[in-house]
Amino acid sequence: MKNFALLIIALICPSLFAQNNIIQLEEVTITKSQHNAAKKIIRNVKKRLRNNFNTHEKLYRVNQTAVVNDNDTVINNNMVVMFVIKSLDNNFTKTIIKDDANKLFRSSLFFQGYDDYRDSPEYWISQVLYNKNLNILGFDFFNNTAGYNFKITYDEKFITVSFTSDDMYSGFFICERETFNLQTLSFKNSDAYPFDVSNSDNGKKTGLKKWIYEVESSTIEFRTDESDKICLANVTVLEKISGYFFEKYFSTRQKI
């Protein structure tokens, strides 16, 4: 009788183990299925952006805010910008249009002592808006899909793809089911990261700029024009910075 009982246990235990493997296998299959579906959607979205984006000059309303240590606003801009976007891989020109509705704020406290705008911390902080957010075809989550987890939801007209990465970006994008026209793209850094730039002239140190991007959040909205071409509708960027530090030196090495 004892031997019979042991035999029953030996038969049941492998069965339970196999059942557990089936559940895990289903989870892996679902995750892989979502990932493959997301890759296909991304390919179609990028193809549509390459082939159907309006490359003519357009006027855009752009918002940008940069905050240091959660309380000091160093940039707060709401402006009309003329863009000529030749492609969505950082190939563009821009001109800020004079408009009564424009509101431009730059903190002189944080940006004093720099005659050359391109040498100023203001340049590096403000250009995040353009140099990183108009390079849409080069976004990490559109190209390094292996580093992300994806979740896809569908409704009658739109597809929403959410993405997460432990060390890069988390966010979502929405596109049309039929055309794959991009509607909304929103993302932020998953973790804080450092920024450090040291300037020199003929081997002599002329300045140092460094800080930590605690939050770098972007929302980009799209629309279609009268010819069904994709255009930017709005770009909103929020930067939260800590550990803000900069030094500027004269040629004599005297600090400004």
Side-chain angles (χ1 to χ4, degrees), residues 67-70 125 189 191-196 209-216 239-245:
V67 178
V68 172
N69 298 328
D70 282 334
I125 294 174
N189 55 307
D191 201 3
Y193 68 94
F195 176 90
D196 193 330
K209 297 176 279 290
K210 64 178 182 179
W211 51 79
I212 296 172
Y213 280 109
E214 299 289 346
V215 176
E216 190 180 279
E239 300 166 58
K240 289 188 177 182
I241 297 167
S242 66
Y244 183 90
F245 175 84

Side-chain angles (χ1 to χ4, degrees), residues 153-238:
T153 56
Y154 300 86
D155 63 22
E156 184 176 346
K157 189 175 180 181
F158 298 105
I159 304 171
T160 300
V161 179
S162 300
F163 51 88
T164 58
S165 172
D166 291 337
D167 56 356
M168 290 300 291
Y169 298 97
S170 299
F172 69 92
F173 67 87
I174 301 173
C175 65
E176 295 179 356
R177 290 189 68 162
E178 184 176 346
T179 64
F180 292 100
N181 283 343
L182 200 56
Q183 300 291 303
T184 303
L185 174 58
S186 184
F187 61 95
K188 65 178 182 178
N189 55 307
S190 300
D191 201 3
Y193 68 94
F195 176 90
D196 193 330
V197 173
S198 180
N199 298 106
S200 61
D201 185 15
N202 292 325
K204 293 182 179 180
K205 186 177 180 180
T206 59
L208 174 65
K209 297 176 279 290
K210 64 178 182 179
W211 51 79
I212 296 172
Y213 280 109
E214 299 289 346
V215 176
E216 190 180 279
S217 174
S218 302
T219 298
I220 307 170
E221 297 173 319
F222 302 82
R223 63 180 178 84
T224 52
D225 61 15
E226 60 279 357
S227 60
D228 199 36
K229 292 285 187 179
I230 303 169
C231 306
L232 292 175
N234 192 65
V235 179
T236 302
V237 175
L238 171 64

